[in-house]
Amino acid sequence: MTILIVDDDPVQCRLLEAMLQKFEYAAVTRDSGDAALTLLTGPDGADIDCVILDLVMPNLDGLGVLAKMRQAGINVPVIVQTAHGGIDNVVSAMRAGAVDFVVKPVGAERLHVSLRNALNASALEGELQRIKKSRTGTLGFADIITKSPSMQAVIRNAEKAAASTIPVLIGGESGVGKELIARAIHGSSERRAKPFVAVNCGAMPENLVESILFGHEKGSFTGATERHTGKFVEASGGTLFLDEIGELPPAAQVKLLRAIQESEVEPVGARKPVKVDVRLISATNRDLVADVKAGRFREDLFYRLHVFPITVPPLRERRADIPALARHFLARFAAEEGKRIRLITPEAQRLLAAYRWPGNIRQLENTVFRAVVLAECDEVGINEFPQLAAQLATGETMLDGPAADIAPAEDFGPPIAPADSLPLLDAAGEVRPLDEIEAELIRYAIAHYRGQMSEVARRLQIGRSTLYRKLEALGMSGERADANSEGGG
């Protein structure tokens, strides 16, 4: 998790930064309210999980920052700090949207409790909002929990699809969140006020597929005691989501193709077709191209559905999403089970990061649920994930490398190269100069920790100022500038 410190006092910034490092949080600092807003409203703003905000600053003060955050719709939790402790300032800040306040100089334990409470409350509120929006059909792309670059590319494509009525085919393994993407497309489109109807094609009995999709008239077949409108008519004006479209039987594929081409359906037993207006989004975890070649799926239907393909990557390729997803699942299940569980320990986070997750997000959700039920204290640790620990011990379901070599708790991104590939000898077989090896190690660390210079310094066991001096001495000041420009300084 990344915490933004906003304070014009450099000494106070360093003190807070040291505390956050002790708590295993990544820290980003800004010395003014304007600089903080620039970061929060920029592309790196999504990486900020919480803000520690000084109320008294020149130019734009803390209350001004809170007001502008609310105007911009930024919902990151904010903990305000003040040297005065005046009740009026605190009340104003809380009314402006702050979730807690601390008085300078704040103690480490007080700050840690405040951060845990703020992050847990934010995760629970976000989860409840997502559930509510999903039920009302107003779920948007901003409600998708992700920090992964590959998922950001998926969302950008899905946003383009939402601006049109183009048919979308979402591919990806089971449990990656294909329906969530479909709901976000609907919730961001002009049809969001109309129904979103989801149908699992693999769960329908083969003899009832046509009736469920297209409807039937009363008495049209044995057992048809009432008239049924069908999912197409039910979704008219809105979006019809056909999950596991590859499981649709051949006879239903023919009727589906006609419904798409003619914008009308023919209920079983009806004398005339019914006009429908639906936005069609389909999803599959199968290779439909292979199914077409094998004759299991109609080629003409495939090209009708495959107009705008979107592929959702599996969770093992989105490791940066694991901590945030786990935190939100923890908040939701802890609330549902009536347990006061504060966090997942760093050791348990490393365990989650090392696992391959063949069942993807759905498996992670169920795993966290089981851990919440097993938990006997206010933290979820390794003991609450016995199955993961047992499987990781065999090495069969790890991402790569032994469990001891996996990334730290809050950094799940892959390094730029294997960690054991740093050569000690040059092409002539001689030992390389120390400054070359040091420069390569520092460059690797900056990439591995995504420009979080405080974390780089801590892991290299040197002071941050020493790190910057080494960058200058080794002619690597550009790395420092690049890291700072990405919000990692």
Side-chain angles (χ1 to χ4, degrees), residues 96 119 144 195 203 304 375 468 488:
L119 291 167
I144 297 176
R304 281 285 181 177
Y468 288 148

Side-chain angles (χ1 to χ4, degrees), residues 161-372:
S164 168
T165 58
I166 189 169
V168 177
L169 177 61
I170 306 174
E173 297 177 7
S174 179
V176 295
K178 297 187 289 292
E179 183 172 341
L180 184 66
I181 297 294
R183 288 184 179 277
I185 291 174
H186 171 77
S188 303
S189 71
E190 294 181 351
R191 293 174 176 253
R192 57 184 172 272
K194 298 294 184 178
F196 176 92
V197 178
V199 182
N200 188 327
C201 298
M204 294 185 292
E206 188 169 344
N207 61 329
L208 294 178
V209 170
E210 292 184 26
S211 172
I212 293 172
L213 288 180
F214 311 118
H216 64 254
E217 295 296 324
K218 182 179 179 180
S220 57
F221 56 87
T222 303
T225 57
E226 300 289 339
R227 181 176 179 271
H228 176 63
T229 58
K231 298 298 182 181
F232 265 87
V233 175
E234 186 181 334
S236 191
T239 301
L240 179 63
F241 175 60
L242 299 178
D243 198 8
E244 296 188 33
I245 188 70
E247 306 298 330
L248 208 61
Q253 290 180 29
V254 176
K255 278 206 164 186
L256 176 59
L257 177 63
R258 175 175 173 79
I260 296 172
Q261 289 176 333
E262 306 297 333
S263 295
E264 62 182 26
V265 296
E266 191 170 333
V268 178
R271 296 181 179 180
K272 60 180 181 179
V274 178
K275 282 288 184 182
V276 291
D277 172 26
V278 298
R279 162 70 179 279
L280 194 65
I281 301 177
S282 49
T284 182
N285 58 7
R286 299 176 56 156
D287 184 352
L288 286 188
V289 174
D291 285 352
V292 169
K293 291 180 180 178
R296 293 188 294 267
F297 199 84
R298 291 184 63 95
E299 184 176 13
D300 46 5
L301 176 59
F302 171 77
Y303 287 116
R304 281 285 181 177
L305 301 174
H306 195 260
V307 182
F308 196 101
I310 295 174
T311 302
V312 184
L315 187 57
R316 61 182 172 275
E317 296 177 9
R318 301 158 45 188
R319 289 194 297 163
D321 291 344
I322 293 175
L325 287 167
R327 188 166 65 249
H328 280 267
F329 291 146
L330 178 73
R332 188 178 93 203
F333 293 130
E336 290 178 357
E337 295 298 307
K339 292 190 173 184
R340 292 184 175 274
I341 301 177
R342 299 177 294 117
L343 52 82
I344 300 174
T345 65
E347 295 78 15
Q349 288 185 28
R350 293 187 183 98
L351 187 68
L352 297 179
Y355 190 65
R356 183 170 288 277
W357 298 110
N360 294 294
I361 297 174
R362 187 179 296 123
Q363 184 186 7
L364 174 63
E365 181 179 10
N366 292 334
T367 300
V368 174
F369 189 9
R370 184 167 54 248
V372 168

Side-chain angles (χ1 to χ4, degrees), residues 361-388:
I361 297 174
R362 187 179 296 123
Q363 184 186 7
L364 174 63
E365 181 179 10
N366 292 334
T367 300
V368 174
F369 189 9
R370 184 167 54 248
V372 168
V373 173
L374 290 174
E376 296 179 350
C377 61
D378 61 353
E379 293 182 350
V380 171
I382 291 178
N383 291 337
E384 280 69 55
F385 299 103
Q387 294 178 332
L388 292 194

Side-chain angles (χ1 to χ4, degrees), residues 47-124:
D47 294 334
I48 304 300
D49 296 291
C50 187
V51 179
I52 301 175
L53 176 66
D54 188 22
L55 280 180
V56 182
M57 292 184 293
N59 299 322
L60 187 64
D61 63 5
L63 290 176
V65 172
L66 285 167
K68 289 185 177 294
M69 286 179 65
R70 185 159 55 182
Q71 290 173 6
I74 300 171
N75 297 318
V76 178
V78 178
I79 301 169
V80 296
Q81 59 171 353
T82 176
H84 307 291
I87 190 66
D88 292 340
N89 286 337
V90 171
V91 170
S92 298
M94 302 298 276
R95 285 177 176 171
V99 298
D100 200 358
F101 76 96
V102 294
V103 179
K104 294 182 182 180
V106 61
E109 184 60 30
R110 172 68 177 89
L111 181 62
H112 201 187
V113 170
S114 184
L115 281 169
R116 285 197 306 249
N117 291 340
L119 291 167
N120 287 345
S122 175
L124 179 57

